[in-house]
Amino acid sequence: QSVLTQPPSVSGAPGQRVTISCTGSSSNIGASYDVHWYQQLPGRAPKLLIYGNNNRPSGVPDRFSGSKSGTSASLAITGLQAEDEADYYCQSYDTSLSGWVFGGGTKLTVL
Amino acid sequence: HVHLQESGPGLVKPSETLSLTCTVSGGSISRFSWSWIRQPPGTGLEWIGNMSRSGRTNYNPSLKSRVTISADTSKNQVSLRLSSVTAADTAVYYCARDTLVQGISGVWFDPWGQGTLVTVSS
């Protein structure tokens, strides 16, 4: 059971917009800790996608965006492409555990 | 450009100690904090622990009694030891750099090594 809760799967057709939620609590996201997102392509290591809730590292397309409100965060992907098919993970800090925590991951399928 | 490479035995017997090394190139390990993260087959990511620039360590409470993270600055390497392993410790183990920026609360992991699969089996 992950500290941060994500839907196990989402799907969308090419060109569509999808969102992935990340729900935490008052000991992590709600404690004003920022949320970061990673993309993990099949058989590859995770790659940083969004840091500090809504910042994209150099090289990440602006089709990817993040937001945070209260005890939750969201990752949005617009103009869905086949290459976006991957697992996506959110990450933050938890004061109760005194450590970094991840969501359980969401598998994105491009139909 | 910083590059991380994990190495170590791919097979460890139950009750023994798992030992992995992360070799960092393109930058000194003394300038940053470094984490170990694992991913059991078909499941999600779990932060194991980290070592700060000052050498201070922090561990996941669920693994704290079995984990040791250390650094060898002469070799630019960060190491992980996990004792008394069981089949539940079978996972891909990643090392990653802890990154933080003023104005953003918390740390994120970038870059990551490619990971190394460790199987616990007799």
Side-chain angles (χ1 to χ4, degrees), chain A residues 34 38 40 45 89 91 97 100, chain B residues 39 47 61 104-105 107 109 113:
Chain A
D34 291 328
Y38 302 86
Q40 186 175 33
Y89 294 90
Q91 175 244 318
L97 298 176
W100 311 113
Chain B
Q39 184 173 32
W47 178 76
I104 295 178
S105 176
V107 151
F109 307 112

Side-chain angles (χ1 to χ4, degrees), chain B residues 34 44-45 57 60 79 81 84 101:
Chain B
W34 306 89
L45 301 165
T57 53
N60 186 321
S79 295
R81 288 173 57 86
S84 304
V101 168

Side-chain angles (χ1 to χ4, degrees), chain B residues 8-70:
Chain B
L11 181 64
V12 180
K13 289 183 168 56
S15 80
E16 295 189 344
T17 296
L18 176 161
S19 295
L20 297 175
T21 298
C22 175
T23 301
V24 178
S25 57
S28 170
I29 63 170
S30 300
R31 294 186 58 208
F32 296 94
S33 298
W34 306 89
S35 279
W36 284 94
I37 297 158
R38 71 180 183 177
Q39 184 173 32
T43 64
L45 301 165
E46 179 181 37
W47 178 76
I48 298 170
N50 73 349
M51 171 170 275
S52 71
R53 290 183 298 173
S54 64
R56 180 175 178 175
T57 53
N58 295 288
Y59 300 129
N60 186 321
S62 68
L63 299 169
K64 188 173 184 176
S65 64
R66 300 193 292 130
V67 174
T68 303
I69 295 175
S70 59

Side-chain angles (χ1 to χ4, degrees), chain A residues 22-37:
Chain A
C22 175
T23 303
S25 68
S26 58
S27 64
N28 41 68
I29 300 175
S32 298
Y33 285 97
D34 291 328
V35 178
H36 322 290
W37 291 90

Side-chain angles (χ1 to χ4, degrees), chain B residues 10-16 85-90 118-122:
Chain B
L11 181 64
V12 180
K13 289 183 168 56
S15 80
E16 295 189 344
V85 297
T86 69
D89 295 310
T90 294
V118 179
T119 301
V120 178
S121 175
S122 56

